[in-house]
Amino acid sequence: MASTLNRSLERGMEILRAFRPGSTLLGNGEIAERTGLSPATVSRLTQTLVAGGMLAHDRSARAYRLAAPVLSLAHAMRTGSVVLQAAAPLMRTLAEKLRINVGLAVADRAEMVYLESIRYNRRASLRNVVSGQRVPIELTSLGRAWLAVAPADAREALYAEFAARRTDWPRLRKDIDKSIESVAQRGWCAASWQPEVVALAAPLKLESAWGYVLNVSVSSTESPSDVAAELGAPLLALSQKITRAVDTREPAGAMR
């Protein structure tokens, strides 16, 4: 069966994906390098994206930046999400009560993307996580919790990608396997991939949507097991509250 994907649209989305935090301005050459598209294709599509309002052209720098309508799309997604509407107030309540960080994320390729991040840490941390920020799947509790419930074909495809680009993949694979086992046995897994930051994550078991992962984290010198002993139960309780809140809401056509 012939593919129904629109190649031009697909390539246009790849160009938008090339823009990340720290990449305010990108020229056609940089975009071509990041996307693997030919310079001619990039030139044609960046002009189209400028005409469509998704990119703005900086003539003096001969480069492009994301335009304001991209932000409005993100706002529409956030305000239209039943999951976020239900989860955000419950997340904030727990963050304020325990003075911890609480996040909600979904997978996008080999990364997890934060949909919501409420920072209420017990002590100052240089790491600031905001909505839209990405973290690697293979290193984080968020990503490993997602892998625990991901379809087998998606999980194996990511494993192949990790094995191809990471020299420490055999060790990481063992860590991921332990995390998947932890999710199966306890409902959550723990990881500490940033110095003195311990995080626990649990996949949400929603009836009408899958792939959402909840996490809690603290800046702490305690071991992951000590933090888990304190935060495992509150994380699972929050997960259950969000699940009930989402599954009892009337969708009314809203995005989940």
Side-chain angles (χ1 to χ4, degrees):
M1 181 181 295
S3 174
T4 59
L5 295 178
N6 185 298
R7 290 292 293 161
S8 293
L9 178 58
E10 193 175 27
R11 289 168 176 167
M13 290 189 293
E14 288 300 314
I15 288 177
L16 295 177
R17 283 176 179 274
F19 290 84
R20 297 290 185 91
S23 304
T24 304
L25 282 170
L26 292 178
N28 281 338
E30 293 170 293
I31 294 173
E33 183 177 349
R34 292 187 177 202
T35 61
L37 299 173
S38 70
T41 297
V42 169
S43 179
R44 173 173 56 83
L45 290 176
T46 50
Q47 291 179 51
T48 301
L49 288 167
V50 169
M54 296 294 107
L55 291 182
H57 186 219
D58 186 320
R59 293 187 178 183
S60 61
R62 301 180 66 181
Y64 302 88
R65 60 168 53 90
L66 293 175
V70 176
L71 181 59
S72 70
L73 292 176
H75 178 67
M77 181 272 158
R78 285 178 54 82
T79 57
S81 170
V82 172
V83 176
L84 278 176
Q85 290 170 12
L90 296 171
M91 293 167 60
R92 185 168 298 280
T93 296
L94 182 66
E96 293 176 351
K97 179 181 178 181
L98 299 184
R99 298 181 65 84
I100 60 176
N101 307 317
V102 183
L104 182 69
V106 295
D108 179 40
R109 298 186 175 177
E111 297 172 309
M112 299 297 292
V113 180
Y114 274 94
L115 302 178
E116 184 64 275
S117 178
I118 299 171
R119 316 302 291 176
Y120 207 101
N121 215 331
R122 300 170 183 178
R123 63 190 182 90
S125 173
L126 295 176
R127 186 165 176 258
N128 186 33
V129 179
V130 297
S131 299
Q133 188 160 329
R134 293 170 174 266
V135 294
I137 280 180
E138 71 273 24
L139 298 178
T140 59
S141 62
L142 278 171
R144 293 174 182 181
W146 182 85
L147 286 171
V149 295
D153 57 345
R155 186 167 55 244
E156 291 303 321
L158 283 172
Y159 283 177
E161 178 179 338
F162 300 150
R165 63 177 170 82
R166 298 201 64 107
T167 57
D168 59 348
W169 173 238
R171 178 188 61 80
L172 272 180
R173 175 63 189 267
K174 291 180 181 178
D175 290 343
I176 291 171
D177 287 343
K178 290 179 182 177
S179 294
I180 291 175
E181 182 179 355
S182 179
V183 171
Q185 293 179 350
R186 304 179 182 91
W188 51 261
C189 64
S192 180
W193 74 290
Q194 295 281 349
E196 296 189 359
V197 177
V198 181
L200 274 67
L204 292 181
K205 300 176 181 179
L206 303 174
E207 292 181 0
S208 52
W210 85 275
Y212 291 86
V213 182
L214 186 69
N215 83 335
V216 294
S217 68
V218 291
S219 293
S220 174
T221 56
E222 293 181 281
S223 68
S225 60
D226 288 339
V227 174
E230 180 183 358
L231 298 182
L235 172 63
L236 292 181
L238 176 60
S239 173
Q240 292 167 1
K241 288 179 182 179
I242 292 174
T243 298
R244 288 195 297 269
V246 172
D247 288 339
T248 56
R249 279 182 175 235
E250 175 60 44
M255 285 179 57
R256 289 184 178 270

